[in-house]
Amino acid sequence: MSSEEEDGGNAKPRSQAWIEGNGNFPSNLRQLLIECARALSEDRINHFDILIERARWMVSITGEPIQRLGAYLVEALVARKSRSGSSIYESLRFKVPKGIDLLSYMQILYEICPYLKFGYMAVNGAIADACRNEERIHIIDFQIGQGTQWITLLRALAARPSGPPRVRITGIDDPLSRYTRGGEGLKTVERGLAVLSRRFNIPIEFHAIPNQSVLNITVETLGLRPDEALAVNFPLHLHRTPDESVDVNNPRDGLLRTVKSLNPKITTVIEQESNTNTTPFLTRFAETMDYYSAMFESIDGILAREGKERVNVEEHCLAKDIVNVIACEGRERVERHELLGKWRLRMTMAGFSSYPLSPFVNSVIRSLLSSYSANHTLMEEDGALLLGWKQRYLISASAWR
């Protein structure tokens, strides 16, 4: 007979009773997770095992925001302990039934949260302003995705009183975007831009650069033309380029210097406002929990906790990055975020100067935010814009010349 049966069915499962009998635990899940990370960072493995089992009882992918986030943090900590972070990250990143399913989850996240939409609108406004008198514009997009960023910019350029310019877009592919598009790769993006060209009556040329390391891209690959005004776009891309803490050659700063040597009219940067690049593990864990707590809270009021749609969005669009930041190290840790101040320093050292986003762009974004929760906060900082949830800023958009 089980212990539950002996107690009339009211006894706790044997494993939970064992956990509770092995010391005092923080009743607050957030603090318990911090203690799990602390034990792991101090190599107190036996204590970690006890704490993490307690945490497993408190997390839930259909619970409150911290419970849902905690479920992925627990898996990341266990993966770090077992040195399996990379394999779990790859599994989370690519183990989806179909690329079209992942694309639909990404689209849901794009619609319900304003963060990426904010970034696109901010930098599109900066490009439109910098190139307002240009007849030929060449945009190099270091992460073209589905090409949807350019819809609003192309519409605005087509409506110029002097007539639309000729626009050439060079799109650099990445593995995740290629997977979501299926077998046709950048042909899908090219067809979409052709549709926009006809709809807005604006000449558009597309130059595709299939998936390859951006570090192998040369000036010749980009196909620059002397009669075009050049705009370079880095949408959530630079933090994945290794820096001096990973590679002594510092590819991150090297890429920025290479772009500066192209003499672009404007360079735009969209990045998560988080500090996880070179910080010690325990600090990085706390920062990741704080960042994604805000993200999960902002989702909470829009998608039902029990809904499969929300579970899919959080698991397939957010969990993979959480696991990578917590469980992986060295070159395998590709999610290496930096704060706006650090990006400002890197851009300045590469020879760029700030191109302040205009008050008009600011007002357009405030109009966008009016259709979302009042808990979203917008701040201007030295010509750049930051968007967050309550007191936590989550994403920045800046422009440089």
Side-chain angles (χ1 to χ4, degrees):
M1 182 180 295
S2 71
S3 60
E4 289 90 341
E5 291 171 334
E6 292 173 351
D7 196 32
N10 295 321
K12 295 174 182 177
R14 190 181 301 274
S15 57
Q16 185 177 2
W18 178 84
I19 292 167
E20 293 182 346
N22 278 271
N24 297 320
F25 300 93
S27 59
N28 179 285
L29 176 56
R30 187 181 297 270
Q31 187 57 43
L32 176 60
L33 291 167
I34 290 289
E35 292 306 316
C36 289
R38 191 190 311 278
L40 190 59
S41 69
E42 295 173 357
D43 205 29
R44 293 182 286 116
I45 301 304
N46 289 340
H47 191 51
F48 169 80
D49 288 341
I50 295 171
L51 290 171
I52 206 73
E53 285 305 313
R54 173 66 174 178
R56 286 190 188 277
W57 284 97
M58 298 176 67
V59 302
S60 169
I61 61 171
T62 58
E64 296 180 359
I66 186 59
Q67 291 179 298
R68 305 198 310 268
L69 171 60
Y72 300 118
L73 290 173
V74 164
E75 294 308 313
L77 287 169
V78 171
R80 182 179 179 87
K81 176 202 168 188
S82 65
R83 306 293 197 274
S84 62
S86 179
S87 60
I88 287 181
Y89 172 66
E90 292 300 319
S91 173
L92 281 169
R93 187 170 182 175
F94 294 107
K95 192 177 180 180
V96 290
K98 296 178 182 177
I100 193 170
D101 293 333
L102 179 56
L103 182 59
S104 70
Y105 306 148
M106 294 167 65
Q107 184 63 32
I108 291 169
L109 184 63
Y110 177 80
E111 292 298 334
I112 66 173
C113 293
Y115 309 116
L116 189 55
K117 196 175 296 184
F118 148 82
Y120 286 172
M121 291 183 70
V123 302
N124 283 359
I127 293 172
D129 183 63
C131 299
R132 60 188 178 275
N133 297 320
E134 302 294 340
E135 296 302 318
R136 294 177 178 270
I137 302 171
H138 180 192
I139 299 170
I140 299 176
D141 191 342
F142 271 84
Q143 191 162 302
I144 188 70
Q146 311 306 317
T148 52
Q149 172 177 349
W150 305 116
I151 296 174
T152 57
L153 176 63
L154 293 170
R155 181 188 294 118
L157 292 175
R160 290 198 322 197
S162 59
R166 299 188 67 85
V167 178
R168 188 159 63 101
I169 297 177
T170 292
I172 300 170
D173 208 359
D174 67 278
L176 185 61
S177 297
R178 183 179 60 177
Y179 177 75
T180 60
R181 290 190 225 102
E184 292 193 282
L186 290 171
K187 286 288 184 183
T188 304
V189 177
E190 185 173 23
R191 283 198 299 270
L193 291 173
V195 170
L196 295 178
S197 176
R198 293 191 295 270
R199 180 188 304 170
F200 300 144
N201 194 27
I202 179 173
I204 302 172
E205 178 184 345
F206 182 62
H207 174 215
I209 299 182
N211 177 50
Q212 61 175 293
S213 170
V214 297
L215 306 180
N216 297 327
I217 294 174
T218 64
V219 173
E220 291 73 25
T221 305
L222 297 173
L224 303 184
R225 298 171 186 170
D227 61 340
E228 295 175 327
L230 180 62
V232 178
N233 183 50
F234 288 110
L236 302 179
H237 170 82
L238 284 172
H239 73 268
R240 293 193 178 101
T241 304
D243 74 337
E244 65 275 14
S245 67
V246 180
D247 186 329
V248 293
N249 295 315
N250 195 355
R252 184 174 295 187
D253 287 350
L255 176 60
L256 293 177
R257 288 193 296 270
T258 298
V259 169
K260 184 64 175 68
S261 72
L262 305 179
N263 195 29
K265 189 86 173 181
I266 189 167
T267 299
T268 53
V269 177
I270 305 170
E271 277 297 340
Q272 290 103 317
E273 183 66 359
S274 183
N275 185 21
T276 63
N277 184 18
T278 58
T279 53
F281 169 69
L282 188 58
T283 306
R284 188 200 324 159
F285 180 87
E287 169 75 355
T288 302
M289 182 164 60
D290 186 62
Y291 182 92
Y292 282 99
S293 289
M295 179 72 75
F296 276 53
E297 283 180 18
S298 70
I299 294 173
D300 200 46
I302 304 171
L303 297 178
R305 289 182 182 177
E306 301 289 339
K308 186 177 180 181
E309 191 176 64
R310 184 202 47 72
V311 173
N312 284 331
V313 166
E314 292 175 350
E315 177 180 344
H316 296 298
C317 300
L318 302 176
K320 61 184 177 61
D321 293 348
I322 294 169
V323 169
N324 186 256
V325 172
I326 301 303
C328 301
E329 291 295 349
R331 289 186 176 276
E332 292 177 342
R333 180 157 66 87
V334 297
E335 300 294 330
R336 293 177 169 271
H337 308 106
E338 295 182 320
L339 300 173
L340 175 60
K342 181 66 174 181
W343 291 119
R344 190 182 305 280
L345 179 61
R346 290 189 186 277
M347 297 299 288
T348 302
M349 290 178 61
F352 290 94
S353 59
S354 176
Y355 187 101
L357 300 173
S358 70
F360 174 74
V361 170
N362 194 315
S363 66
V364 169
I365 291 172
R366 289 190 183 280
S367 177
L368 164 72
L369 293 179
S370 65
S371 60
Y372 292 89
S373 170
N375 286 318
H376 287 105
T377 51
L378 182 67
M379 182 179 75
E380 188 274 337
E381 181 182 295
D382 298 329
L385 290 175
L386 297 105
L387 178 64
W389 176 259
K390 298 180 179 177
Q391 302 305 311
R392 171 74 208 212
Y393 290 104
L394 298 176
I395 191 165
S396 68
S398 57
W400 306 87
R401 56 188 165 193

